[in-house]
Amino acid sequence: MKQVFMNQRHVYTIITTLLLSVFFIVGTVNAGDAASVTPEFKGKMAKSYEDSEEWWAPEVRPKKDAPNVIIFLLDDVGFGQVGSFGG
């Protein structure tokens, strides 16, 4: 009997793992560009509320040409995916 080193299932697993790794790395790099930068606090913190001044950081928005991508990863859901309360 001939022993096969990799069968079709192993190949699919490797390809899926590589693709998910690439998506994770690209998503982390793109999110890190804007989200990891914390702006300097420009408000005023005083001993009393009346003397303090609030300040909110500007909202971080994606670029106009950024794609809308949502990745749903379902793992070992069994029959739970059928109904809204676990099938």
Side-chain angles (χ1 to χ4, degrees), residues 5 12 19 22 27 30 37-38 41-42 46 53-54 56 59 64 67 71 75 77 79 84 86-87:
F5 177 68
Y12 287 147
L19 286 174
V22 167
N30 287 340
V37 178
T38 305
F41 179 70
K42 296 181 180 154
E53 293 178 18
E54 68 177 22
W56 296 95
E59 185 177 334
K64 293 288 185 189
I71 298 174
D75 183 24
V77 291
F79 290 104
S84 57

Side-chain angles (χ1 to χ4, degrees), residues 44-77:
K44 179 182 173 187
M45 290 186 281
K47 297 223 181 232
S48 68
Y49 175 75
E50 291 81 20
D51 296 334
S52 299
E53 293 178 18
E54 68 177 22
W55 178 81
W56 296 95
E59 185 177 334
V60 178
R61 303 289 304 195
K63 299 174 189 173
K64 293 288 185 189
D65 60 343
N68 292 327
V69 178
I70 299 175
I71 298 174
F72 290 98
L73 176 63
L74 301 175
D75 183 24
D76 196 24
V77 291

Side-chain angles (χ1 to χ4, degrees), residues 3 29 85-86:
Q3 190 173 14
V29 168
F85 298 106

